[in-house]
Amino acid sequence: MSDIRQQALDYHEFPIPGKTAVCLTKPAETSHDLALAYSPGVAEPVREIAANPDNAYRYTNKGNTVAVITNGTAILGLGNLGPLASKPVMEGKALLFKHFANIDSTDIEITHNTPEEFINTVAAIADTFGGINLEDIKAPECFVIERELIARCKVPVFHDDQHGTAIVTAAGMINALEIQGKLISDATFVCMGAGAAAIACMTMLVKCGANRANIYMLDTKGVIHSGRTDLNEYKALFANDTDKRTLLDVIKGADVFLGLSGPDVIGAEEVALMADKPVIFACSNPDPEIKPALAHATRSDLIMGTGRSDYPNQVNNVLCFPFIFRGALDVRASCINDEMKIAAVHAIAALAKEPVPASVLKAYPNVSSLSFGPEYVLPKPMDPRLLPNVARAVAQAAIDSGVAAIPTLPQYAD
Ligand SMILES: O=C([O-])CC(=O)C(=O)O
Ligand SMILES: [Mg+2]
């Protein structure tokens, strides 16, 4: 572990600090180049955009640029460590946008006092970008922040920790339950955590067929039930009409444990109590709710996923956010709606059932084969087919649902 610590610090420090930089897409060698890039030539696109704002997509980098914006109040599973400390994560998201979907991305860390201040700041700069990816903003403020920004911004606004996580979780869950021979409509879910990702995941699973009465969500005070008077409006959506109160009460016979909380919150005792053929997605980053080795040592009939890249079944929003934005930008969608999100769920889930190309296997030297099954319920982030498959499905859904300004599907190289 200390080895990875030093490697990670060195990776970030050398050869130059940080993970991203700006590169130029036009020549700037001669005085003529400068006359075009800057004064006087630059005045021409200025006039064009002033006359018609859509020309910003034609003459600037707007259409391929996504801002990754945070206040650092819920950094991974590490907590509220402030805007500046979140910068490595936001640069990391920018790296992933660029590497996986060729989207140029800028990280923006905002210091603010009230949610209104944050909303006003983002709304004031939103026109600069083709899309806004909100990241690592704690609940419940993230809900009102996203809602207000969707209403005020002309470009898609997407809170990755809610919807990116929910889309990938739903895709993996649909596949894992299928492998375990269970119907999503019959499955009993225990969701540990009641923050942004938890509420979004369970909302998405309900849209994909889960039965709300079979969902037990827990916060730091235990089971969220209809007798509680301390629930915000978002948690209240998942108040179960039950007399079960504790994790032990609800884990008994549960088909699914979904962890979106913090490290090591369940142990062998809880895992042993789950139904036959359970599914455990322990998604707290970087340290899961239960270590895979412990879960597997406890029973052999489970399917296990985590948020990490160093175990099988990585349930991580990286499988979604680069590609959902690629599809949204390509047809200049005005928002990322439910139709687009559900199209992404099914495109990601379907890809896990396809034979895996050799190029993907090469990126994972420790695995000899990958095929649909308990150790492979989701495609790998390195899978080059994610880009065409997910972006195409999302772009098509945007067109079909009437939110695309460009009504034709781009050519995606398979
Ligand atoms: O960055 C990751 O690995 C996933 C994520 O968004 C988070 O945990 O907040
Ligand atoms: Mg995040």
Side-chain angles (χ1 to χ4, degrees):
M1 235 23 212
S2 63
D3 185 43
I4 192 96
R5 177 176 187 276
Q6 196 53 53
Q7 282 178 31
L9 292 174
D10 289 350
Y11 174 91
H12 283 81
E13 185 171 358
F14 304 113
I16 52 168
K19 297 197 284 272
T20 60
V22 170
C23 73
L24 303 187
T25 59
K26 297 291 154 68
E29 309 305 324
T30 66
S31 63
H32 184 62
D33 291 339
L34 293 196
L36 300 180
Y38 202 50
S39 206
V42 72
E44 300 309 327
V46 168
R47 288 191 191 99
E48 294 297 314
I49 296 166
N52 177 359
D54 279 351
N55 282 328
Y57 288 96
R58 185 160 178 193
Y59 298 117
T60 77
N61 64 16
K62 175 180 167 88
N64 197 44
T65 309
V66 168
V68 176
I69 308 187
T70 190
N71 56 8
T73 50
I75 308 174
L76 310 177
L78 302 171
N80 183 353
L81 302 180
L84 191 58
S86 75
K87 187 165 166 60
V89 177
M90 305 311 132
E91 287 186 5
K93 298 282 169 178
L95 174 150
L96 297 166
F97 266 122
K98 184 69 185 177
H99 184 69
F100 288 126
N102 200 22
I103 290 171
D104 294 304
S105 177
T106 304
D107 63 294
I108 298 174
E109 293 79 26
I110 297 179
T111 302
H112 66 102
N113 292 312
T114 62
E116 290 66 39
E117 258 179 48
F118 183 92
I119 292 162
N120 287 336
T121 304
V122 177
I125 61 173
D127 277 350
T128 304
F129 308 103
I132 307 283
N133 183 89
L134 299 173
E135 193 69 41
D136 291 6
I137 300 170
K138 79 176 177 64
E141 293 83 353
C142 64
F143 300 115
V144 66
I145 285 172
E146 189 192 40
R147 190 174 66 217
E148 284 295 307
L149 285 172
I150 286 172
R152 285 175 59 177
C153 298
K154 295 191 208 81
V155 295
V157 176
F158 180 82
H159 184 198
D160 176 41
D161 299 286
Q162 289 185 64
H163 312 299
T165 310
I167 287 163
V168 177
T169 300
M173 193 62 71
I174 287 169
N175 282 345
L177 288 171
E178 183 183 319
I179 293 164
Q180 297 293 53
K182 301 190 183 209
L183 287 176
I184 192 169
S185 52
D186 295 341
T188 305
F189 294 81
V190 170
C191 178
M192 179 60 105
I199 287 169
C201 282
M202 296 322 299
T203 302
M204 180 58 81
L205 284 167
V206 169
K207 285 186 183 137
C208 293
N211 183 342
R212 208 175 272 275
N214 295 346
I215 295 171
Y216 299 96
M217 187 179 278
L218 294 93
D219 63 8
T220 51
K221 302 203 178 71
V223 172
I224 293 177
H225 60 85
S226 47
R228 280 182 52 177
T229 54
D230 60 340
L231 301 174
N232 64 39
E233 63 183 290
Y234 312 101
K235 290 185 191 181
L237 289 173
F238 289 97
N240 192 308
D241 196 9
T242 179
D243 47 21
K244 298 180 184 182
R245 294 292 178 262
T246 67
L247 175 60
L248 275 180
D249 293 341
V250 292
I251 200 78
K252 199 162 177 291
D255 298 294
V256 174
F257 173 87
L258 174 61
L260 294 153
S261 54
D264 300 314
V265 296
I266 61 165
E269 185 189 358
E270 288 85 4
V271 172
L273 288 172
M274 294 181 73
D276 282 351
K277 292 182 168 276
V279 178
I280 298 181
F281 284 179
C283 298
S284 170
N285 284 318
D287 299 310
E289 283 76 3
I290 180 167
K291 297 202 171 53
L294 175 57
H296 287 299
T298 306
R299 57 194 296 168
S300 57
D301 61 346
L302 56 78
I303 292 182
M304 170 98 204
T306 71
R308 295 168 54 126
S309 54
D310 49 354
Y311 295 116
N313 297 329
Q314 184 183 18
V315 187
N316 189 289
N317 47 32
V318 67
L319 292 177
C320 175
F321 69 81
F323 316 112
I324 201 165
F325 269 102
R326 181 74 276 158
L329 293 178
D330 287 344
V331 294
R332 215 178 288 165
S334 57
C335 61
I336 295 178
N337 60 21
D338 273 357
E339 289 87 338
M340 296 158 75
K341 292 174 194 161
I342 288 168
V345 170
H346 291 298
I348 294 168
L351 186 53
K353 297 182 172 177
E354 299 290 327
V356 176
S359 68
V360 178
L361 280 169
K362 250 214 214 116
Y364 296 87
N366 297 333
V367 286
S368 52
S369 72
L370 290 170
S371 60
F372 188 61
E375 301 260 284
Y376 183 71
V377 300
L378 281 165
K380 294 287 186 190
M382 301 294 179
D383 195 320
R385 300 168 300 175
L386 278 165
L387 175 58
N389 288 20
V390 180
R392 187 187 294 118
V394 168
Q396 186 65 57
I399 294 169
D400 294 345
S401 60
V403 298
I406 299 171
T408 48
L409 212 52
Q411 289 293 321
Y412 292 103
D414 282 304

